[in-house]
Amino acid sequence: AFETWDEPRVDALLLALAQAVAANAEALATATVKETKIGNIADKTVKNMHASLGVYQTLAGKPGIGPLGGEAVRGVTEIAGPAGVVFAIVPVTNPVATAIFKTLITLKARCSVILSFHHACVAVGNTVCEIMEKVLTQHQAPAGLMQWVRKRTSRAKTAKFMSHDGVSLILATGGAGMV
């Protein structure tokens, strides 16, 4: 159902998601530092702003599916289509910034996403996902378009997601062992 959304409607959804996270950037940064004991609030706030509004600005007005342009330069027409279900691993170092940018790029490509947070940042992961879920509901996005692992995860559970037949693409961010 989401694949049929036109670019202006998708961009409106992405803008609302970016604005919702940006509006909560400092509170989410505070929660991240408190939960993970990594980094500082000021820097995480800037990262949350850039990963939301900054990434949105790079995507807005550009095609997420269909012909991507560039034919005149290379003589080739690139046509993008949704990959399907994307499993996105979110590290402890920047959980909010990683979650919003992976959600934005995945939805721009008309894919659904399942976010999996490092076990040491599940609480802030739940918070940012609840913010995004509210926006998705307000914009009448298909149910289940964005999902997340809500409880503490493990490498075994992550491996099951990564090898699941229904997962088409993996966005891995984290330590060498996970990636």
Side-chain angles (χ1 to χ4, degrees), residues 5-121:
W5 284 31
D6 64 19
E7 292 298 336
R9 187 174 180 194
V10 171
D11 284 352
L13 172 62
L14 300 185
L15 177 59
L17 286 165
Q19 289 174 330
V21 172
N24 291 282
E26 186 173 0
L28 290 165
T30 301
T32 298
V33 172
K34 182 178 179 183
E35 184 176 8
T36 67
K37 313 288 190 274
I38 297 172
N40 65 71
I41 295 167
D43 289 345
K44 296 239 181 266
T45 300
V46 170
K47 285 182 182 181
N48 293 345
M49 295 293 291
H50 179 70
S52 56
L53 295 174
V55 170
Y56 165 76
Q57 290 171 356
T58 68
L59 300 172
K62 296 181 180 141
I65 61 170
L68 297 180
E71 301 87 21
V73 175
R74 300 185 320 214
V76 173
T77 300
E78 290 183 282
I79 301 174
V85 177
V86 175
F87 182 66
I89 299 169
V90 181
V92 67
T93 51
N94 291 297
V96 174
T98 305
I100 183 61
F101 98 72
K102 287 184 177 186
T103 299
L104 292 174
I105 65 173
T106 301
L107 297 183
K108 182 67 174 179
R110 309 305 195 282
C111 298
S112 59
V113 64
I114 301 169
L115 298 159
S116 179
F117 293 84
H118 185 279
H119 63 82
C121 60

Side-chain angles (χ1 to χ4, degrees), residues 85-89 102 161-163 167-172:
V85 177
V86 175
F87 182 66
I89 299 169
K102 287 184 177 186
F161 274 107
M162 292 172 74
S163 62
V167 171
S168 302
L169 183 68
I170 299 166
L171 291 177

Side-chain angles (χ1 to χ4, degrees), residues 88-168:
I89 299 169
V90 181
V92 67
T93 51
N94 291 297
V96 174
T98 305
I100 183 61
F101 98 72
K102 287 184 177 186
T103 299
L104 292 174
I105 65 173
T106 301
L107 297 183
K108 182 67 174 179
R110 309 305 195 282
C111 298
S112 59
V113 64
I114 301 169
L115 298 159
S116 179
F117 293 84
H118 185 279
H119 63 82
C121 60
V122 171
V124 74
N126 285 334
T127 301
V128 71
C129 286
E130 288 165 1
I131 291 168
M132 293 191 292
E133 185 176 58
K134 183 177 180 182
V135 171
L136 291 165
T137 300
Q138 290 169 343
H139 282 256
Q140 300 173 344
L145 185 62
M146 181 206 66
Q147 300 175 39
W148 72 98
V149 180
R150 298 168 191 253
K151 296 182 181 179
R152 184 179 172 132
T153 191
S154 65
R155 286 187 184 245
K157 186 187 288 185
T158 300
K160 284 182 182 180
F161 274 107
M162 292 172 74
S163 62
H164 192 282
D165 289 342
V167 171
S168 302

